[in-house]
Amino acid sequence: MKGFTYALVALFLCATAASAQNVPVQEVLLENGMRVLMVPRKGDPNIAAGWITRTGSVNERPGITGLSHLFEHMMFKGTRTVGTKNIDENLKVLKEMDDVRAQLRAEEKELIRRARLGEVADAKDPQFRTERHRQLIARFDELSKREKELMVKDEFDRIYTTAGASGMNAGTSNDFTVYFINVPANKLELWFWMESDRLLSPVFREFYSERDVVHEERRLRTDSTPTGKFDEQFESLFWMSSPYGWPVVGWPSDLEGITREEALEYFAVNYAPNNLSAALVGDFEPARAVELARKYFGRLPRGPREPEPVRTREMPQLAEQRMVAYAETVPQARVRYHTVADGHPDDVALSVLASLLSGRTGRLYKALVTQQQIANSASAGQSGNKYEGYFEMRGVAKAGKQPEEVEQALYKEIERIQKEPVPAEELQKIKNQSAANQFRGLQSNFGLMVQLLLRDSNRGWATINTDPARVQAVTPEDIRRVANKYFTPENRTVGIYRTKQAAAGGAAEDPTLAGLSEQEKAQVSQLRAVLPRMTAEQVRGVLRQVEQQAGSAPADKQKSLQVVKKMLEDRLKQLEGGVK
C-alpha cells in the first residue's frame, strides 16, 4: 500500500509539473535586437530582474582569456554619470593611463624577449628594468592615485541599496555572463535606467588594478586550493582544440597583458543589445515595463557587427588519456567522456542516465559506497554546454582503498548499463523526480528569472516549456544506446588523484599527522594551505568552532581535532605578534 501511495504522489507531481511547465512568458523584441522577457506575478512587492549577454570564456581567444570574467567586475565600476566627481578629468586621466601602459608594454615585451633568449632569468624581476621602465611605473602609480581621488567608490551599489534593492550580483561561465538583482516593484524604472546606463556609457575605472584583483581571485580559487591547478590541467588535457579548454578566470599571462583598448573593442561587439536578453518576474504591469524597455534599453545602439559563433570545435579523441596527480586531498578518481552539446537528442538521455547513477539512491552510491565499501562518495553528471558536452563520473576512495579500484568499479556500473536495459520502474522514478524538480524550480521569482535568461542565451526561453516532455520520452533503449555510443575507452580521459605524501615514495611523514586517517590527513593539509590567507578574526572563529566540537566529538576524532586546534593557535599567535 505504501508503494502504491508513493506512486500516486509521484504521478501527481509529474502531472502538476507538466501542466505548470507552460510558463506564460510575454516577449518583446526591441528594434535594436534586444529581447525582454516578462512574467507578471501578483502579490510579491519585489521584482526579480536581470539581463544576460551570450558571451563567455569560449568567445575569447588566446591573449585575452579571462576578459569575459573581467567584465563581470568592470560593469560595477560606474558610468559617465555614476561613480565620478568629475567625468571630464576622469576621462583625461584614463587616457593618459592608457598611453603610459602602452609604453610600459613596450618595456615588458623587451624583457620577455630577453628572458626567452636567456639573457635575464625572470622578465618580472625588477632588477632587470631600465630607468625609463621605473619612471613609467612611477608615473602610472601617480595617475592611479589621481583616478581613485576622482572616483565615488561603490556608488552603483549604493544607489540600488538606498532604493531598497538587494542581491545585486553577476556570474560568468563558459557560455554567458549574467547580471541580476531584486528591486522593489515601485523602483522598476530605476532598474531600467541603471542597467541601460551601464550598457550605454560605462567607464572602466580601475581597469588595470582590477586585472590584479582577478589575478588574486585566480590565485585563491585555483593556485592555492588543494586540487585547483590539477583540475585546470585536467580540463586542458580533456579539451584538445575547443576553447572550453582554457579557464573562465583566464591564464595568468593574459590577465597581466589585456589592455583597456582590447576590452572596449570586446565590449562594443559582445555587450551590444543584439547580443542581450533581459527578464522580469514579479509584480509589475507588462504595458508599463514595455514602455520603460523601449525608453531605456531602446536607446542602446546595435553593435558594429554581429558576434561570431565559436569557430574552433573539439577534435575527435582517438586514444585514452590519463593524468596522475599528487595533491593535498583524499584519493579519488574522475572519468570523463566526450558527449554532445545542450539540445542534442542524446543530451537528454545522458542527463537521465546521470540521474540514474547519482544520489544516495543512485547506482554508483549503492554499488561503490554501500555494497563494495570502496568509496565514501560517488556521482555522475552530463554537462551539455552550448557548443560541446561531456559526461563525468567521480568517486572518492575509502581509507585503505586505491583510486584505481574506484575507477574500475565505475566502469563496471557503466558495463551494466550497456548490457542490461534499465527497468521501467527505475526509469520512471527518475522522470518523476525530474518533473518534481522542474516544478519546484519555477516557484521562485528569482529562480524563474535566471532560468529564462540562461535558456534564452542558448536555445531560446521557450525550451522551459518544451524540455520536460523530452525527459518523459526517454526510453530504456535510449539509455543503453548512448552508453554504448559514448562510453568507450578511446573516448575517455581519466584523472587519478593521490594524497600528496605518497609522491615521496615512502619519505618521512609529517609527525603532526601521525595516527590520522588518510581523510583526516588531507583535511589537515587543506587547512594548512588556506591558513596563511586567513585573518586573525577568521582564525578565532574557526578555533571557537573546533573547541566546541572537541567537547562532544567521539574518541577517534579527538586526535585530528587537537592537531587542527594546535595549528590554529600557532597561527593566531603569529598574527597577533605581527608575524606574516
Side-chain angles (χ1 to χ4, degrees):
M1 193 66 179
K2 182 179 179 182
F4 180 71
T5 304
Y6 173 81
L8 279 178
V9 171
L11 286 173
F12 171 75
L13 284 173
C14 180
T16 305
S19 61
Q21 194 67 35
N22 189 23
V23 180
V25 179
Q26 300 180 41
E27 175 186 334
V28 174
L29 184 63
L30 303 180
E31 290 184 4
N32 57 15
M34 186 171 184
R35 186 159 38 247
V36 181
L37 310 175
M38 301 174 293
V39 181
R41 285 180 168 177
K42 296 295 183 183
D44 190 334
N46 288 294
I47 300 171
W51 56 273
I52 195 166
T53 171
R54 300 171 185 84
T55 306
S57 60
V58 293
N59 302 102
E60 299 159 356
R61 57 171 172 77
I64 61 167
T65 64
L67 183 51
S68 299
H69 176 246
L70 179 59
F71 265 116
E72 179 195 321
H73 289 242
M74 297 310 304
M75 291 302 289
F76 294 92
K77 295 296 182 179
T79 68
R80 289 173 175 262
T81 306
V82 178
T84 184
K85 298 173 184 175
N86 184 330
I87 186 57
D88 292 332
E89 179 67 14
N90 196 175
L91 295 175
K92 180 181 177 182
V93 170
L94 290 176
K95 175 64 171 63
E96 186 174 352
M97 291 177 74
D98 289 340
D99 293 341
V100 173
R101 283 302 310 179
Q103 297 175 67
L104 278 169
R105 284 197 299 277
E107 295 285 335
E108 291 163 356
K109 285 178 182 177
E110 174 60 16
L111 283 175
I112 292 172
R113 185 193 69 81
R114 296 184 65 196
R116 188 171 66 244
L117 298 177
E119 296 176 4
V120 299
D122 184 355
K124 297 180 182 178
D125 192 330
Q127 69 172 312
F128 299 118
R129 293 171 181 165
T130 64
E131 181 59 31
R132 173 173 169 73
H133 194 158
R134 296 188 182 94
Q135 291 173 356
L136 289 170
I137 290 175
R139 178 55 182 160
F140 189 83
D141 290 343
E142 292 173 3
L143 291 169
S144 297
K145 182 179 178 181
R146 177 57 180 155
E147 180 192 28
K148 291 183 185 299
E149 292 172 350
L150 292 167
M151 287 180 61
V152 181
K153 192 73 172 175
D154 299 324
E155 186 175 23
F156 197 89
D157 178 70
R158 187 162 59 252
I159 291 172
Y160 265 135
T161 53
T162 302
S166 63
M168 182 175 71
N169 215 325
T172 308
S173 84
N174 301 106
D175 296 319
F176 60 81
T177 309
V178 62
Y179 299 81
F180 46 81
I181 193 170
N182 283 300
V183 295
N186 63 351
K187 297 297 181 181
L188 184 58
E189 184 168 8
L190 174 67
W191 178 79
F192 274 106
W193 179 80
M194 291 281 284
E195 301 307 311
S196 63
D197 191 45
R198 66 169 163 175
L199 286 165
L200 181 65
S201 56
V203 177
F204 300 147
R205 300 180 176 92
E206 297 184 302
F207 178 82
Y208 296 103
S209 61
E210 201 65 25
R211 291 188 323 178
D212 298 335
V213 171
V214 173
H215 203 297
E216 176 65 10
E217 181 180 335
R218 178 198 153 79
R219 188 185 71 80
L220 292 174
R221 293 185 178 184
T222 302
D223 299 337
S224 300
T225 57
T227 64
K229 290 180 288 188
F230 299 110
D231 292 339
E232 189 174 77
Q233 184 173 333
F234 184 84
E235 292 292 337
S236 295
L237 175 66
F238 181 77
W239 300 109
M240 179 170 67
S241 56
S242 169
Y244 285 107
W246 55 64
V248 172
V249 74
W251 296 121
S253 54
D254 288 353
L255 292 174
E256 294 164 2
I258 294 172
T259 68
R260 210 166 69 92
E261 294 91 340
E262 288 173 323
L264 289 167
E265 180 182 352
Y266 192 79
F267 179 88
V269 173
N270 294 292
Y271 275 72
N274 43 299
N275 200 40
L276 307 178
S277 294
L280 300 172
V281 181
D283 195 345
F284 63 91
E285 292 297 330
R288 175 59 174 160
V290 171
E291 178 186 336
L292 293 172
R294 288 179 173 146
K295 177 180 179 180
Y296 292 104
F297 287 149
R299 61 185 176 147
L300 303 175
R302 289 184 73 95
R305 58 180 173 83
E306 290 297 318
E308 293 288 337
V310 170
R311 178 179 298 173
T312 307
R313 304 300 301 274
E314 181 67 8
M315 292 292 290
Q317 183 173 315
L318 304 178
E320 180 188 78
Q321 303 179 108
R322 297 184 72 85
M323 181 187 84
V324 178
Y326 294 91
E328 294 177 336
T329 187
V330 291
Q332 54 191 280
R334 63 191 300 193
V335 180
R336 183 185 286 189
Y337 299 89
H338 290 279
T339 56
V340 292
D342 174 57
H344 188 283
D346 291 347
D347 176 54
V348 66
L350 288 162
S351 296
V352 171
L353 171 53
S355 297
L356 281 166
L357 294 173
S358 296
R360 295 184 72 88
T361 60
R363 290 192 176 193
L364 293 184
Y365 190 92
K366 287 180 179 178
L368 279 68
V369 180
T370 305
Q371 297 169 6
Q372 301 173 42
Q373 297 185 2
I374 62 171
N376 288 321
S377 63
S379 61
Q382 159 66 10
S383 294
N385 296 316
K386 188 172 184 177
Y387 297 100
E388 314 276 3
Y390 65 85
F391 189 100
E392 181 169 317
M393 298 182 295
R394 304 186 75 152
V396 176
K398 204 174 185 67
K401 301 296 182 180
Q402 297 300 315
E404 287 85 356
E405 295 179 76
V406 174
E407 178 192 356
Q408 293 304 316
L410 293 172
Y411 296 151
K412 283 186 171 61
E413 291 309 305
I414 287 299
E415 289 171 5
R416 281 184 59 202
I417 295 285
Q418 291 172 327
K419 295 176 181 177
E420 306 168 7
V422 175
E425 183 179 353
E426 184 181 7
L427 179 56
Q428 189 58 50
K429 179 181 176 182
I430 295 302
K431 292 180 179 181
N432 293 341
Q433 290 174 347
S434 174
N437 290 338
Q438 288 283 343
F439 175 74
R440 286 191 289 268
L442 300 179
Q443 304 314 297
S444 158
N445 287 351
F446 179 81
L448 175 56
M449 179 268 294
V450 172
Q451 280 196 58
L452 289 171
L453 289 177
L454 297 188
R455 288 175 178 274
D456 205 58
S457 71
N458 188 3
R459 291 185 289 129
W461 66 264
T463 56
I464 202 169
N465 292 329
T466 58
D467 275 354
R470 298 176 67 223
V471 174
Q472 298 303 316
V474 172
T475 67
E477 181 52 37
D478 289 331
I479 300 233
R480 186 164 64 170
R481 176 180 57 79
V482 297
N484 281 284
K485 181 177 180 180
Y486 300 104
F487 302 154
T488 61
E490 64 272 15
N491 190 40
R492 71 190 178 209
T493 300
V494 181
I496 298 295
Y497 293 74
R498 301 185 184 283
T499 304
K500 191 172 185 179
Q501 287 80 5
E509 183 179 63
D510 184 343
T512 61
L513 304 180
L516 302 186
S517 69
E518 291 301 318
Q519 185 172 7
E520 289 171 337
K521 290 176 183 177
Q523 291 170 344
V524 170
S525 297
Q526 291 175 19
L527 175 62
R528 181 175 289 152
V530 301
L531 263 179
R533 304 194 300 274
M534 295 173 66
T535 65
E537 187 57 38
Q538 289 172 328
V539 174
R540 289 192 196 95
V542 176
L543 182 58
R544 284 194 295 269
Q545 294 177 20
V546 170
E547 290 172 339
Q548 292 170 0
Q549 292 175 12
S552 57
D556 62 342
K557 299 295 182 185
Q558 289 294 333
K559 170 66 175 176
S560 63
L561 285 172
Q562 289 307 312
V563 171
V564 169
K565 183 172 180 288
K566 179 70 164 56
M567 290 172 59
L568 291 166
E569 290 173 339
D570 290 346
R571 180 55 180 160
L572 191 58
K573 289 178 183 176
Q574 290 179 339
L575 291 169
E576 292 176 338
V579 179
K580 301 299 183 186

